[in-house]
Amino acid sequence: MSGKCLLVLNVEISGINKYLLRQLEQRGWSLLVVDVPLPKIIRYLAMLTTFRLPVSEWKKAFAIKRDQMHKTPWCFKWRTRYCEKALRRYRGKYDAVLNVGGMFAPSLKNINKPYVTFNDYTMKLALKYSPWAPCHKDIPGWMVLERQLYRKAKKIFACSQNTRRSLIYDYGVKPGNIVIGGYGCAFNNVEQ
């Protein structure tokens, strides 16, 4: 797909992104990169609800609360609406969409361009193995949104067999739609 333009919906917090984007450019892709932020209200609410002394304890509690709050259906939808605005702003300027991670979708509706995702984990894996797994009551609501994201993707680039298994067994993704790329991707498979 040399010479094509990719709209990248980027997660600001991932360190791998600069290498991923560099590899795409080296393979001839033009990139329109949109960093998808967290809603500012999450930061403020996390600060207010975790206040304590000493400040070092507050910082720890704040980081945990902020991470939990951004893994809610409300935040997923807010970030997805942000992505929908980017799709409209760049309409006609890109050939495909790369959604980095599973924290939002390019749109809640069907879009007229193919999209792929790059994932290093799923919420199901986080609930099984991660200390930062959210503790809110609407995990099922999140799972519905995440499942839609994965099922509508043309391809999913997974970083591990563990992520691949979760996508298949926890989200119902067809095995042929998943490419294991580690923390680099086999981008020549995008054309398939």
Side-chain angles (χ1 to χ4, degrees):
M1 291 185 106
S2 181
K4 298 284 186 168
C5 185
L6 191 62
L7 178 62
V8 180
L9 302 172
N10 192 38
V11 177
E12 297 176 297
I13 58 173
S14 176
I16 191 170
N17 299 8
K18 65 182 177 179
Y19 302 107
L20 174 67
L21 300 180
R22 187 178 312 135
Q23 289 295 313
L24 285 166
E25 287 176 325
Q26 288 174 358
R27 286 168 170 75
W29 286 88
S30 296
L31 304 178
L32 293 169
V33 179
V34 175
D35 289 324
V36 181
L38 285 175
K40 289 181 182 177
I41 189 72
I42 285 179
R43 178 178 173 80
Y44 301 133
L45 287 173
M47 289 173 76
L48 288 171
T49 59
T50 60
F51 179 75
R52 62 187 68 164
L53 295 174
V55 172
S56 60
E57 292 298 317
W58 183 19
K59 286 181 180 180
K60 289 178 198 172
F62 162 76
I64 291 167
K65 184 70 167 181
R66 182 197 60 214
D67 284 348
Q68 290 174 342
M69 290 176 75
H70 90 265
K71 294 173 182 82
T72 62
W74 177 86
C75 189
F76 189 107
K77 289 176 186 175
W78 186 95
R79 294 174 97 187
T80 298
R81 285 189 297 273
Y82 188 93
C83 294
E84 289 172 337
K85 291 176 188 172
L87 294 176
R88 287 190 299 272
R89 182 171 54 244
Y90 293 110
R91 181 174 289 145
K93 297 180 182 175
Y94 59 91
D95 300 293
V97 177
L98 169 60
N99 199 86
V100 179
M103 305 303 290
F104 48 82
S107 178
L108 293 174
K109 305 169 197 142
N110 290 329
I111 60 175
N112 61 357
K113 299 287 184 176
Y115 76 86
V116 299
T117 67
F118 179 81
N119 298 81
D120 61 353
Y121 78 101
T122 67
M123 180 61 79
K124 275 289 202 186
L125 289 174
L127 292 170
K128 291 177 190 174
Y129 304 114
S130 179
W132 57 257
C135 58
H136 58 78
K137 295 177 184 172
D138 200 5
I139 298 295
W142 176 280
M143 297 299 296
V144 166
L145 295 166
E146 194 179 17
R147 186 174 291 112
Q148 288 174 337
L149 165 69
Y150 299 141
R151 286 186 177 174
K152 290 181 180 180
K154 181 171 178 154
K155 290 283 184 189
I156 299 173
F157 293 95
C159 291
S160 67
Q161 281 289 348
N162 199 27
T163 302
R164 179 181 185 273
R165 280 189 296 273
S166 179
L167 289 163
I168 294 167
Y169 299 113
D170 297 328
Y171 296 88
V173 176
K174 295 176 184 172
N177 288 354
I178 304 168
V179 177
I180 297 180
Y183 280 97
C185 283
F187 287 106
N188 49 338
N189 288 330
V190 172
E191 294 183 69
Q192 296 177 353

